[in-house]
Amino acid sequence: MLVLALAAGTVADAKTLDGRLHANMARRPSVPVVPLPNDGPVTSRNGTQLPPYNTTYYFEQLIDHTNPSLGTFQQRYWTTYEFYETGGPIILFTPGEANAQRPVRSIQRISHEPHHQRADRAGAERRDDRARAPLLRALEPVRRPVGAEPPVPHDPAGDRRLEYFAKNVDLPMPGGDAVKPGQAPWVLIGGSYSGALTSFTVVNKPNLFQAAYASSAVVESIVDYWGYFQPILEWMPKNCSADVQAVIAHIDSVFTSGNQKEINSIKALFNMSALTHLDDVAGALRNNLWDWQSLSPSSGGGLFFDFCDALEVKNGVSAGPNGWGLQHALQAWGSYWTNTYYALLCGDEDAVTCLGTYDPTQEYWTDTAVDNAGRSWMWIVCNEVGFFQEGAPKGHPTIVTRLVQPPYDERQCTYMFADAFKNLGHLPVPNVDATNKAYHGWFVQENHLFFANGHRDPWREATLAADGTHFKSTPGQPLTISDGFHCSDLSTANAQVDSTVLAVQQQALKTIAGWVAEWKPSKH
């Protein structure tokens, strides 16, 4: 098995435990980090000792695929052929807009999680019935601008670089120059945003991959993505939901009342008196809800449930389904935030530095280092996908403030990309219609494209499992939905405790094995 990962640079130091550079910015759709084996000797099936997973290789990638005369840049990748046997399928994992460490994790995860099981079965069920383990690889494509100016021309789906890599790379392994598309069946895998990239690539390059697997794929770009919190509202403990809704409604009411005494009281309760903008104060409380994205069937709890316990357990007794009510919940939330959570979220930073978003000179906005992966993702957000995680519309229950709406995030785009938007004359609105038109969004219809989603995924409403969509599963484009969270099907540990996740994985194994068995060599 061979794993490859491509990267442009390392990541700037994260400011929060979940990898964000600012604590009042939304979580990005990314593949969850799972426990991995320690780095150490890697041995192939025939006993040959191989380089460790974190060995870095370089590929000469074109700077501009429409003008090759501009030359190339060195695109890093990681690979292992630990389980590979000649003739097996080639599995390519694309982590999307991630830092240089995530591809290494992907290599290890693919090598030890359901992908290699899927691939082994695919190899074993080939037409000649000879078991051939796959070649596995993970890629981190360089697609978007980072730093002050785009270091490479814009490549919306990254498919040109994926294609150029697949057709031209000579892999550091025996026979590594003879496993290109047409010489071996290739399978593309992605999760979360890279799951969307998997779908996008199949749309743009329908003959490049024999099969594709998209987990929690956020295929539909949405500006006002208040739906992020809908699965959380549905699946969180009922008492916690009731009290959170009550607290948020109260805070929104006070913050729009003009009663400065009450406003100051709430700010002091949450130790955010120094913040002058009330949308920053109310928006910061989204962090307790964003922790839901870290959950998995096998996680056994986490910060999200610590938060709910802080609100709902009083003197050792849990509240009923209606919660304890506003008075207790407000004080309990404030106490948990100031005494426990703030230090986890912000460390020793003051509230303005950690949670304020109105100072355009703040380092978060002005850091144009090439290794600032967060900046690269924000460029996509501001121009193409949106995904602004705001309060629900009036008339719909909400567990986060309605004071934060798309203009709150669009303003931040003008801070981070001042030169790009300085002559716009209005706040930039992501062109999600163009993105959805180019890559078909929810309405993608391709062959040999497997979708896996989860009912409890906060990104569900941007996937083919979104409420009200009713998309049908077909033999060519299966749609499977477990009771899992975000990308839960990418971990065998989750399948061990959740039979619905196991069922998705088993269907994927069987389906992709059948697609691989249909492959025939061709001139590509």
Side-chain angles (χ1 to χ4, degrees), residues 117-139:
Q117 300 173 22
R118 177 181 305 121
D120 280 342
R121 181 166 178 176
E125 296 185 9
R126 289 169 57 87
R127 292 182 305 278
D128 57 10
D129 293 325
R130 292 178 57 194
R132 290 175 174 145
L135 179 69
L136 290 180
R137 53 185 70 179
L139 296 129

Side-chain angles (χ1 to χ4, degrees), residues 28-267:
R28 54 173 105 163
S30 57
V31 179
V33 176
V34 299
L36 299 169
N38 294 327
D39 284 333
V42 179
T43 305
S44 70
R45 286 188 169 187
N46 64 11
T48 303
Q49 185 165 330
L50 306 177
Y53 295 124
N54 60 0
T55 303
T56 302
Y57 302 92
Y58 296 89
F59 174 72
E60 295 296 329
Q61 181 64 262
L62 291 177
I63 293 174
D64 186 347
H65 287 257
T66 64
N67 185 8
S69 66
L70 292 179
T72 63
F73 65 93
Q74 286 195 320
Q75 191 169 25
R76 294 177 298 168
Y77 69 92
W78 293 264
T79 178
T80 180
Y81 57 101
E82 181 178 1
F83 298 105
Y84 181 67
E85 293 179 7
T86 303
I90 315 302
I91 296 185
L92 174 67
F93 182 83
T94 172
E97 296 300 320
N99 64 63
Q101 294 305 312
R102 190 170 294 274
V104 178
R105 295 189 184 107
S106 300
I107 289 171
Q108 295 170 305
R109 179 170 58 250
I110 292 172
S111 296
H112 294 85
E113 292 285 354
H115 305 305
H116 94 259
Q117 300 173 22
R118 177 181 305 121
D120 280 342
R121 181 166 178 176
E125 296 185 9
R126 289 169 57 87
R127 292 182 305 278
D128 57 10
D129 293 325
R130 292 178 57 194
R132 290 175 174 145
L135 179 69
L136 290 180
R137 53 185 70 179
L139 296 129
E140 182 183 28
V142 181
R143 308 182 314 100
R144 298 301 206 284
V146 293
E149 298 292 340
V152 292
H154 184 63
D155 182 11
D159 48 59
R160 289 178 178 175
R161 292 191 172 90
L162 285 173
E163 181 181 39
Y164 187 78
F165 178 88
K167 290 183 176 181
N168 292 279
V169 67
D170 288 337
L171 301 173
M173 56 170 283
D177 60 346
V179 289
K180 296 176 175 60
Q183 298 173 311
W186 281 54
V187 179
L188 181 63
I189 293 177
S192 193
Y193 181 64
S194 74
L197 293 181
T198 297
S199 178
F200 297 170
T201 300
V202 172
V203 169
N204 276 10
K205 304 294 179 182
N207 299 315
L208 186 60
F209 295 95
Q210 178 65 14
Y213 181 95
S215 172
S216 293
V218 289
V219 293
E220 182 76 3
S221 295
I222 303 169
V223 174
D224 186 357
Y225 188 48
W226 63 269
Y228 177 94
F229 298 101
Q230 183 62 27
I232 306 175
L233 174 64
E234 294 173 4
W235 288 86
M236 67 189 292
K238 297 303 180 184
N239 53 10
C240 190
S241 171
D243 278 341
V244 167
Q245 290 180 65
V247 171
I248 291 301
H250 175 70
I251 290 176
D252 280 2
S253 177
V254 170
F255 281 4
T256 56
S257 70
N259 187 324
Q260 198 60 48
K261 182 178 179 180
E262 289 191 29
I263 291 171
N264 291 341
S265 176
I266 289 177
K267 290 170 64 176

